[in-house]
Amino acid sequence: MERLEKIYEGKAKILYATDDPDLIVQYFKDDATAFNAQKKGVIREKGVMNNAISSRLFKFLEDKGIRTHFVEKLSGREMLAKKVGIIPIEVVIRNIAAGSLSKRMGVEEGTPLKSTIVEFYYKSDPLGDPMINRYHMRAFNLAKDEEMDKVVDAAIKVNKYLREFFDERGIMLVDFKLEFGRYKGGILLADEITPDGCRLWDKKTHEKLDKDRFRRDLGRIEEAYEEVLRKVMA
Ligand code: UDP
């Protein structure tokens, strides 16, 4: 499968066309951004690590029956994927309070939640990804109810499978962000699943093994991503 012209360049990935109109190449970059791209930097070899982590997790989820855009890992930084129309909604799943939830609700980071929280954010850089609910999706025609029922059902299953997967490897899945896309009348899990969009804490020490090390200048960022990669591949 050959990489043709660039279709889109995002903050952490570049998408390329291929000779098959239904397939794209996702190229993973080392660039990192935070706080709506106000903070910029590079995490050395992040692209290689994130492609490997994401490919492994998509394969795992496919084997569990989750429909994803993943086709195959092509090279260090390249993944072949189905060309979806991204639904402009970020789906955040939370098992433990952290980040914006801790701020909003005034609870300490690390507080376990009595039940899983599903949140939605409208994907818009100029607006800073505002939080929305299912009424906004209807009023602004962002997605159909039937589509969002499938999205939420898949997101909850993904949470169950990934929590178990990480737990077996000594990692707590605190929260994470998913994106879904439309493909030939169906809905596929798309984008990536990496420490860029997940909060992953060491089960014993609660050490952060994700992009919060970059956001909060905690150091040892590459080492944290390497540890996640090693454990995900185990
Ligand atoms: N997240 C993301 N992209 C975003 C916002 C959040 O991938 O634009 C992820 C983030 O890495 C975390 C989860 O979604 O795993 C919840 O993030 P939160 O709402 O707490 O926002 P933050 O504190 O990161 O600003």
Side-chain angles (χ1 to χ4, degrees):
M1 185 57 58
E2 220 188 317
R3 198 169 103 186
L4 300 177
E5 78 276 8
K6 189 195 284 191
I7 304 174
Y8 173 81
E9 177 152 7
K11 285 167 273 188
K13 291 188 296 295
I14 307 173
L15 306 186
Y16 295 95
T18 68
D19 52 23
D20 183 334
D22 290 331
L23 299 178
I24 55 148
V25 170
Q26 277 197 335
Y27 177 95
F28 288 77
K29 302 193 285 184
D30 290 348
D31 299 341
T33 61
F35 313 118
N36 201 23
Q38 288 177 73
K39 182 182 170 93
K40 290 192 176 112
V42 165
I43 301 174
R44 209 164 24 84
E45 293 298 292
K46 173 169 80 77
V48 175
M49 296 190 276
N50 277 0
N51 187 26
I53 293 167
S54 213
S55 295
R56 173 76 183 95
L57 294 178
F58 278 134
K59 178 74 174 60
F60 166 75
L61 292 171
E62 280 280 345
D63 291 344
K64 293 285 187 187
I66 304 289
R67 299 189 57 210
T68 82
H69 73 155
F70 177 72
V71 179
E72 62 173 327
K73 185 171 179 285
L74 294 175
S75 69
R77 292 174 183 274
E78 294 172 315
M79 173 195 290
L80 188 64
K82 290 172 181 152
K83 185 180 185 180
V84 303
I86 286 285
I87 298 172
I89 296 166
E90 299 195 341
V91 180
V92 170
I93 307 282
R94 303 178 181 275
N95 298 306
I96 295 164
S100 71
L101 178 71
S102 288
K103 267 205 194 124
R104 193 175 341 115
M105 298 303 291
V107 293
E108 211 182 308
E109 282 206 311
T111 308
L113 301 171
K114 290 219 168 64
S115 59
T116 298
I117 295 177
V118 181
E119 294 172 348
F120 306 105
Y121 296 85
Y122 176 43
K123 243 175 95 71
S124 165
D125 286 335
L127 299 176
D129 297 348
M131 192 191 236
I132 57 170
N133 63 33
R134 293 194 59 170
Y135 290 90
H136 300 83
M137 297 174 203
R138 286 179 209 121
F140 293 98
N141 196 29
L142 302 180
K144 294 206 183 77
D145 267 320
E146 309 86 80
E147 291 179 321
M148 289 313 294
D149 289 343
K150 286 183 189 159
V151 162
V152 170
D153 181 69
I156 288 168
K157 284 183 181 138
V158 168
N159 183 46
K160 172 178 145 46
Y161 296 137
L162 287 187
R163 254 178 116 168
E164 287 169 5
F165 181 95
F166 281 113
D167 184 71
E168 285 168 7
R169 289 162 176 80
I171 292 175
M172 288 160 59
L173 180 59
V174 172
D175 58 32
F176 59 101
K177 183 265 291 177
L178 298 176
E179 294 185 26
F180 291 83
R182 303 179 176 106
Y183 183 80
K184 299 187 182 203
I187 299 285
L188 301 182
L189 176 62
D191 191 47
E192 63 176 76
I193 308 176
T194 67
D196 278 13
C198 301
R199 284 196 170 92
L200 303 167
W201 294 0
D202 182 281
K203 217 157 91 179
K204 286 205 192 97
T205 65
H206 288 194
E207 188 192 359
K208 294 181 189 355
L209 302 173
D210 55 63
K211 206 167 92 177
D212 272 345
R213 302 203 74 83
F214 170 77
R215 292 188 189 100
R216 303 177 188 188
D217 295 317
L218 301 177
R220 297 182 62 80
I221 307 170
E222 284 85 0
E223 287 81 352
Y225 277 63
E226 270 159 26
E227 184 172 340
V228 173
L229 172 63
R230 196 162 27 81
K231 289 184 168 165
V232 161
M233 291 304 165

